[in-house]
Amino acid sequence: MNRASTDMGNVSQVVPAIHPYIGIGSLPATNHQREFAAFCVGQAARRALLDGAVALAWTAVDRAARGPSAKP
């Protein structure tokens, strides 16, 4: 899997961070391609968006349950 460069490493030095990848079944089309746009409006994309939102929400719940002084 090709992973592009992000600023996530910088962010994670300041606050706990996750940077998961979610798929929409678009291969061989990838982001920044016209063909990829068609996959971004399909059912797989909606499911991936929901999966990502749920994962983020559970991460926030987990972190909040540990309390403000807990280590990540």
Side-chain angles (χ1 to χ4, degrees):
M1 178 178 181
N2 183 16
R3 291 179 172 88
S5 175
T6 70
D7 293 327
M8 207 59 183
N10 297 339
V11 170
S12 68
Q13 297 298 311
V14 180
V15 296
I18 63 170
H19 195 249
Y21 285 87
I22 54 175
I24 59 171
S26 66
L27 291 177
T30 59
N31 60 334
H32 306 296
Q33 294 177 344
R34 177 172 287 136
E35 297 81 9
F36 180 74
F39 287 95
C40 293
V41 295
Q43 186 60 34
R46 285 186 198 91
R47 182 72 218 176
L49 181 63
L50 180 60
D51 288 348
V54 168
L56 181 59
W58 276 115
T59 301
V61 167
D62 182 57
R63 181 67 182 121
R66 294 180 189 198
S69 60
K71 300 242 184 224

